[in-house]
Amino acid sequence: MRKKKLAGIFMSFMMAAGVLAGCGGSSSTSGEKDGETIKIGANLELSGGVASYGQSIEEGIKLALEEINKEGIDGKKLELVTFDNKSDAAEATSGTTKLISQDKVAAIIGAATSTNTLAQVQIAQKNKIPLLTPTGTNPTITNKDGVLSDYVFRTCFIDPFQGTVAANFASKDLKVKNAAIIIDSSSDYAKGLAAAFTEAFEANGGKIVKEEAYVAKDTDFNAILTNIKSSNPDFIFLPGYYEEVGLIIKQARALGIEAPFMGGDGWDSPKLVEIAGNDPLNNTFITNHYSSGDSDPKVQDFVKAFEAKYKGKSPDAFNALGYDSLYFLADAIKRAGSADPEKIQKALEETDGLQLVSGTMKLDKNHDPIKSAVILEYKGGKQEFNTKVDPE
Amino acid sequence: MEFLQQLVNGVSLGSIYALIALGYTMVYGIVKLINFAHGDVFMVGAFIGFYSITILDLGFFPSLLISMVVCAILGVLIERIAYKPLRNATRIAALITAIGVSLLIEYGVIYVRGAQPEAYPGDLIPATSLDFLGVKVSSQSLLILGTSVVLMILLQFIVHKTKIGKAMRAVSHDMDAARLMGINVNNTISATFAIGSALAGAAGVAFGMYYTKIEPLMGIIPGLKAFVAAVLGGIGIIPGAMVGGLLLGVIESLVSAAGFSLWRDGVAFVVLILILIFRPAGLFGKNVREKV
């Protein structure tokens, strides 16, 4: 027993050391006073069902942190306090409370999914601490029932945009008329994308021939896929997360469904290819925030820096949005000239024309960025850049 | 044609439930304990199989064997540490301990390796779709169905034709009398757990191969469904578990086919409630009248 306790203490020291080391450079030794750093919280899915999103975002944030702390913001360095919400909404809520009340952060980045971000909105609002989600695309995060959550921001575009882009791509590029939709009914994200897709697709003269639903953690989809198959769609919209999406595509191809599948950024994980397999993923598309195949010099500089830090690993959209989120925040802190949460909020709101890896940032009145989307196609288990779509 | 396809879907889903339910029902039949940790032994089996395939670089059948052996040892350990001290305690105490063991295994695995999912490599067993009159049957689901049937026959044989089986039946009938007859009760119960857990391990590897994705909490729902299947067929009766599993799979598929895919799990548990109300002994069970 005692041995275990000692091991526990040792572990917590190691972890504390890890956090400090993550803060970049030799300057963040323990002798430093609180006033000289600006604390930024990160409430991310580092373990659990969608761990790969949270981990990717964290990698992006850490690269940005290193770059920003080379010069600092007006002589002050940023310090990152990370919290693992285990891909669970209740954990995300308590994590935000902890970051605000115990760690006294100036702003919070997180979470990766819409559901886990929505779980934090009220707390950020109540404590007047800016909350910035890198990839939470559900519209209600920043604006619920017409009421703006003024302390909540995002780095990514919103669901209606992804759903609209997918619908336009389906009707104009793939020229399909009959679509089926499979929704993860336990996810706000999937429902948001599906609603936007339906509206745009029907406006383009298409028809939704079948709508089926499942809940997260299901493993057998043969029954609903058989229903889909008998309605004979020539396009299937599947706005879920990679764990179930991988299984659905694998089982659909085994049942003989050859139609193209399309989804959103929720597919974007290396695990998708492992679960579904290379061949079943052929003839599938996703909308995404960024592509490492984009020739924009800003993108290529980021890709180079990222590959240098993470041993040749090519950055995905989550890496890019994590990286952009910290730059977005750093830019606001710089313009605010202080680490006061209320001034940061004001500066974030006024962001206009900030150049980021995932596009040029400008906010509309709902705090939603207006920026471009890319469409990627899976070929032999690899994502390939298909086209770039600008907002209208 | 669509109906036939849904039946096939149901049978392939049900054969997984049946495979897990066999172990459940066997342990219950002998020890009268609902071993809620069974679903988690199934999960551990899936991971052992995964690691022996990816790290030790073994083929499907050696991995299956390793996983069965490790799970058998795990089952015996669980029995010796958690259940044996409670053998003369109330039923409810043993049941609560079983739930505790289940949570311990789930979160123990998360502590050791994290909660992220793993994907079984896809090229272990050729996965071709066979086409019967427009109905697609995957070769892997046929393999799983075949495995369940073979294991069921093997279990029946062990319980009814071998010496250890005779000892098991004697222990299940009357533990004290069995001990007086010179049967080593502790070893017999350990053997029961070893066989039951080895079956769970096999089911875990089969599940991983068929559905690809495995994660530390994957045992909960299949475990509960297998429990429903075992009760449906008559808990403690080996062919009952097989039939109960297949029936439950078909019911779930038909519920989804009717357009109520979100009600699928709910319907499975409604079946459990109905069975408990109208036929508590299950489809294959005999009503045993209690003597006054």
Side-chain angles (χ1 to χ4, degrees):
Chain A
M1 268 298 119
R2 167 151 300 167
K3 233 179 198 168
K4 271 201 180 145
K5 210 168 185 180
L6 278 176
I9 293 171
F10 180 68
M11 282 284 277
S12 40
F13 267 116
M14 288 301 284
M15 267 150 93
V19 169
L20 285 177
C23 295
S26 51
S27 60
S28 50
T29 45
S30 51
E32 212 166 49
K33 267 182 269 158
D34 264 1
E36 289 168 7
T37 61
I38 301 170
K39 276 192 180 175
I40 305 289
N43 186 338
L44 296 169
E45 290 84 343
L46 299 177
S47 64
V50 289
S52 92
Y53 302 159
Q55 288 162 0
S56 296
I57 291 172
E58 195 195 20
E59 284 173 350
I61 294 178
K62 282 192 170 157
L63 175 63
L65 188 76
E66 222 169 63
E67 292 177 7
I68 293 168
N69 276 349
K70 268 182 202 152
E71 292 174 17
I73 300 172
D74 300 334
K76 288 183 183 173
K77 292 204 188 298
L78 295 181
E79 182 186 337
L80 190 68
V81 186
T82 321
F83 180 86
D84 174 16
N85 62 36
K86 305 185 176 66
S87 307
D88 182 85
E91 285 278 346
T93 310
S94 59
T96 293
T97 311
K98 180 201 162 261
L99 288 171
I100 294 172
S101 57
Q102 278 183 31
D103 300 316
K104 312 246 181 282
V105 296
I108 296 172
I109 299 179
T113 65
S114 296
T115 311
N116 294 341
T117 308
L118 281 168
Q120 307 174 49
V121 166
Q122 266 202 326
I123 300 178
Q125 280 294 103
K126 209 172 74 193
N127 293 292
K128 295 192 187 305
I129 299 289
L131 171 69
L132 171 66
T133 169
T135 51
T137 46
N138 189 296
T140 58
I141 291 174
T142 50
N143 188 324
K144 183 141 198 182
D145 304 326
V147 184
L148 177 72
S149 301
D150 51 353
Y151 277 85
V152 185
F153 297 86
R154 68 176 106 223
T155 319
C156 55
F157 45 63
I158 55 173
D159 291 343
F161 185 59
Q162 276 197 80
T164 313
V165 168
N168 289 341
F169 179 74
S171 5
K172 285 167 193 160
D173 293 56
L174 299 178
K175 304 202 189 326
V176 292
K177 286 263 169 276
N178 297 323
I181 304 184
I182 308 177
I183 305 173
D184 174 355
S185 68
S186 54
S187 144
D188 296 328
Y189 160 80
K191 284 190 265 187
L193 249 79
F197 176 85
T198 308
E199 194 183 318
F201 192 69
E202 283 176 347
N204 289 342
K207 200 173 147 223
I208 307 291
V209 289
K210 191 86 191 168
E211 201 174 305
E212 286 286 347
Y214 64 93
V215 288
K217 300 283 165 207
D218 276 358
T219 45
D220 191 292
F221 303 94
N222 284 311
I224 57 171
L225 287 170
T226 304
N227 280 352
I228 295 270
K229 193 185 176 194
S230 65
S231 67
N232 213 8
D234 26 60
F235 178 84
I236 299 164
F237 189 56
L238 175 56
Y241 294 121
Y242 60 87
E243 282 190 40
E244 289 84 16
V245 165
L247 291 172
I248 289 174
I249 291 178
K250 183 176 179 237
Q251 291 170 21
R253 298 296 191 227
L255 275 175
I257 299 177
E258 307 289 343
F261 278 85
M262 184 161 188
D265 56 333
W267 286 29
D268 191 20
S269 160
K271 281 270 178 245
L272 174 74
V273 185
E274 282 178 40
I275 293 171
N278 292 349
D279 290 342
L281 271 178
N282 286 336
N283 201 17
T284 63
F285 304 86
I286 60 172
T287 49
N288 213 339
H289 307 267
Y290 135 99
S291 159
S292 58
D294 195 336
S295 56
D296 190 312
K298 179 106 190 148
V299 176
Q300 288 310 319
D301 285 351
F302 163 68
V303 172
K304 259 182 230 134
F306 191 90
E307 284 175 349
K309 183 168 163 70
Y310 295 105
K311 303 187 183 77
K313 189 179 162 224
S314 172
D316 62 17
F318 286 90
N319 295 138
L321 286 168
Y323 178 87
D324 279 356
S325 294
L326 195 64
Y327 267 103
F328 185 20
L329 211 51
D331 171 68
I333 294 171
K334 193 168 187 152
R335 279 186 289 114
S338 121
D340 177 34
E342 289 183 36
K343 285 186 183 149
I344 297 177
Q345 186 268 348
K346 195 106 197 92
L348 279 170
E349 207 161 48
E350 287 162 357
T351 302
D352 188 359
L354 174 67
Q355 294 280 336
L356 293 173
V357 170
S358 59
T360 306
M361 185 67 102
K362 180 181 184 333
L363 298 187
D364 70 4
K365 62 178 190 341
N366 289 330
H367 287 190
D368 297 327
I370 305 168
K371 55 199 259 196
S372 53
V374 294
I375 287 173
L376 307 174
E377 181 178 2
Y378 281 92
K379 276 184 185 158
K382 295 260 180 310
Q383 291 182 347
E384 279 180 21
F385 181 74
N386 188 303
T387 141
K388 194 166 184 168
V389 184
D390 285 318
E392 282 159 28
Chain B
M1 201 50 61
E2 200 197 328
F3 181 72
L4 258 171
Q5 179 72 57
Q6 293 291 13
L7 276 187
V8 169
N9 295 341
V11 169
S12 60
L13 177 65
S15 50
I16 295 262
Y17 293 156
L19 203 50
I20 309 172
L22 283 175
Y24 239 115
T25 216
M26 174 169 169
V27 167
Y28 183 85
I30 314 291
V31 205
K32 300 282 176 292
L33 164 78
I34 296 173
N35 182 12
F36 273 114
H38 195 72
D40 303 295
V41 175
F42 157 80
M43 175 271 292
V44 172
F47 274 102
I48 300 287
F50 174 76
Y51 289 124
S52 33
I53 290 165
T54 51
I55 295 177
L56 303 179
D57 216 10
L58 296 171
F60 174 69
F61 285 103
S63 308
L64 186 75
L65 272 182
I66 290 183
S67 161
M68 286 175 80
V69 170
V70 173
C71 285
I73 296 169
L74 179 68
V76 172
L77 277 179
I78 293 172
E79 196 273 330
R80 282 285 151 106
I81 295 168
Y83 302 149
K84 196 179 160 209
L86 294 172
R87 201 166 287 158
N88 295 317
T90 52
R91 281 273 193 90
I92 193 81
L95 189 73
I96 292 171
T97 309
I99 295 173
V101 171
S102 156
L103 291 172
L104 178 74
I105 299 178
E106 282 159 20
Y107 290 93
V109 170
I110 290 182
Y111 181 78
V112 171
R113 63 165 294 286
Q116 71 281 13
E118 292 292 353
Y120 260 62
D123 47 1
L124 284 173
I125 295 265
T128 43
S129 283
L130 309 172
D131 211 320
F132 294 119
L133 308 160
V135 176
K136 296 262 183 191
V137 186
S138 122
S139 58
Q140 292 184 339
S141 73
L142 282 181
L143 183 79
I144 292 175
L145 182 63
T147 315
S148 330
V149 173
V150 169
L151 286 175
M152 179 195 79
I153 294 170
L154 192 69
L155 266 190
Q156 274 297 65
F157 178 78
I158 292 177
V159 171
H160 289 282
K161 303 282 180 203
T162 63
K163 207 170 167 190
I164 184 83
K166 207 177 228 174
M168 283 174 182
R169 279 179 294 142
V171 169
S172 128
H173 203 73
D174 189 329
M175 214 179 272
D176 292 325
R179 193 175 284 124
L180 287 174
M181 295 297 122
I183 293 171
N184 188 335
V185 172
N186 283 337
N187 282 357
T188 309
I189 292 181
S190 290
T192 309
F193 269 88
I195 297 174
S197 304
L199 287 181
V205 178
F207 183 95
M209 192 194 68
Y210 185 52
Y211 289 116
T212 318
K213 191 195 77 174
I214 58 171
E215 44 117 9
L217 299 183
M218 67 186 260
I220 300 177
I221 288 292
L224 286 175
K225 297 278 181 67
F227 172 64
V228 175
V231 172
L232 182 61
I235 193 152
I237 301 161
I238 290 164
M242 185 82 210
V243 172
L246 293 180
L247 206 57
L248 189 66
V250 170
I251 292 173
E252 288 195 357
S253 265
L254 294 184
V255 167
S256 295
F260 302 103
S261 55
L262 297 178
W263 287 89
R264 202 179 66 180
D265 291 357
V267 168
F269 295 109
V270 167
V271 167
L272 174 68
I273 293 169
L274 291 180
I275 283 282
L276 288 175
I277 293 175
F278 293 108
R279 214 179 147 75
L283 295 178
F284 283 51
K286 289 192 194 80
N287 257 329
V288 183
R289 220 166 273 172
E290 232 165 86
K291 283 180 199 149
V292 186

